């Protein structure tokens, strides 16, 4: 990396444009461009999964995590390496979420994370059937203990289950229908594609 006058600010022999297959592939944020300086730090894609530089070219890492994604809206997906004797490699990664100050927003308890929403702005964390939903800006939409969170963004509301029963919420996390039902079917024809709601 050079400054505008061509002076080298930073160099890394293992830095590549595509990163490394040793890195965890976190789900991308479709509405954001990777590679920019964000709040004064820039992620370096290399064999190391927790490497950033500041605007002066000084390296920065986040404590007690092995993998950290690009920061969006002040927060980043991250992963800790955990010992696992059942795994061929002897370890596994647990996913979570941190802020720019390293504060843990989502605890490192989740096996997978995938996206929802029109621009993948919602993150759904999954562990052993249990899920939680968090926005890229760190705001929790649905806390731990939910499951079967519907990931389609074509509706103004989404279904979920808790304790084996279905409920309905909007994308802010407001519960519209408490999880009391064995089944929920929406009206697919109106503007909201919801009401009237058929429940069982």
């Amino acid at each position: 990396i050079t400054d505008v006058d061509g002076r080298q600010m930073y160099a890394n022999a293992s830095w590549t444009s595509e990163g490394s297959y040793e890195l965890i592939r976190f789900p991308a944020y479709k509405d954001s461009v990777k590679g920019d300086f964000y709040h004064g730090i820039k992620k370096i894609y290399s064999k190391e999964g927790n490497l950033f530089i500041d605007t002066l070219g000084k390296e920065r890492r986040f404590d007690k995590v092995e993998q950290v994604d690009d920061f969006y809206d002040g927060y980043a997906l991250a992963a800790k390496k955990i010992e696992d004797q059942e795994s061929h490699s002897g370890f596994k990664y647990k996913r979570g979420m941190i802020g720019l100050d390293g504060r843990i927003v989502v605890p490192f308890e989740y096996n997978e994370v995938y996206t929802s929403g029109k621009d993948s702005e919602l993150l759904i964390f999954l562990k052993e059937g249990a899920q939680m939903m968090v926005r890229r800006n760190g705001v929790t939409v649905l806390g731990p203990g939910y499951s079967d969170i519907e990931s389609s963004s074509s509706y103004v509301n989404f279904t979920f289950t808790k304790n084996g029963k279905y409920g309905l919420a909007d994308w802010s996390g407001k519960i519209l229908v408490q999880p009391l039902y064995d089944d929920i079917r929406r009206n697919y024809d109106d503007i909201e594609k919801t009401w009237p709601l058929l429940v069982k």
Side-chain angles (χ1 to χ4, degrees):
I1 297 178
T2 67
D3 63 17
V4 293
D5 297 318
R7 290 187 293 267
Q8 181 176 297
M9 291 175 54
Y10 181 77
N12 187 315
S14 65
W15 183 20
T16 66
S17 60
E18 296 298 325
S20 165
Y21 286 106
E22 296 173 18
L23 298 181
I24 289 180
R25 302 295 176 176
F26 292 110
Y29 195 178
K30 294 179 182 176
D31 199 31
S32 296
V33 178
K34 287 192 173 188
D36 291 343
F37 279 90
Y38 183 85
H39 285 259
I41 61 171
K42 173 183 175 63
K43 181 169 175 62
I44 300 299
Y45 288 92
S46 65
K47 288 185 178 180
E48 183 180 350
N50 179 12
L51 176 59
F52 295 78
I53 60 167
D54 64 20
T55 53
L56 299 176
K58 183 179 178 182
E59 292 186 355
R60 178 178 173 186
R61 293 167 177 84
F62 290 84
D63 293 337
K64 300 180 181 178
V65 287
E66 281 70 38
Q67 306 273 348
V68 184
D69 194 16
D70 255 326
F71 279 85
Y72 305 108
D73 298 331
Y75 299 89
L77 290 168
K80 283 187 177 182
K81 188 184 283 189
I82 309 292
E83 241 183 78
D84 182 13
Q85 300 302 325
E86 296 179 6
S87 171
H88 177 70
S89 63
F91 66 88
K92 62 183 176 182
Y93 285 104
K94 290 289 189 177
R95 276 80 166 162
M97 192 176 190
I98 63 172
L100 275 164
D101 57 358
R103 180 176 57 91
I104 296 173
V105 179
V106 175
F108 291 91
E109 301 173 358
Y110 294 89
N111 302 319
E112 299 294 337
V113 57
Y114 58 94
T115 61
S116 181
K118 292 180 181 178
D119 295 313
S120 303
E121 79 276 17
L122 293 164
L123 299 164
I124 299 175
F125 291 82
L126 175 67
K127 64 172 180 180
E128 297 156 2
Q131 296 171 308
M132 72 178 292
M133 182 187 284
V134 181
R135 291 192 177 278
R136 297 269 185 176
N137 63 5
V139 174
T140 298
V141 179
L142 285 182
Y146 292 86
S147 56
D148 298 321
I149 296 174
E150 181 183 35
S151 59
S152 173
S153 60
S154 58
Y155 305 105
V156 294
N157 306 310
F158 65 92
T159 59
F160 62 89
T161 63
K162 190 167 188 177
N163 300 322
K165 298 293 184 179
Y166 281 91
L168 186 76
D170 65 20
W171 293 106
S172 73
K174 180 181 178 183
I175 305 297
L176 305 174
V177 176
Q178 293 295 325
L180 302 171
Y181 302 100
D182 296 325
D183 194 13
I184 284 180
R185 294 191 183 185
R186 285 173 290 204
N187 173 15
Y188 299 105
D189 294 325
D190 69 341
I191 294 173
E192 289 192 343
K193 297 184 179 180
T194 305
W195 316 108
L197 199 67
L198 180 65
V199 297
K200 178 180 176 182

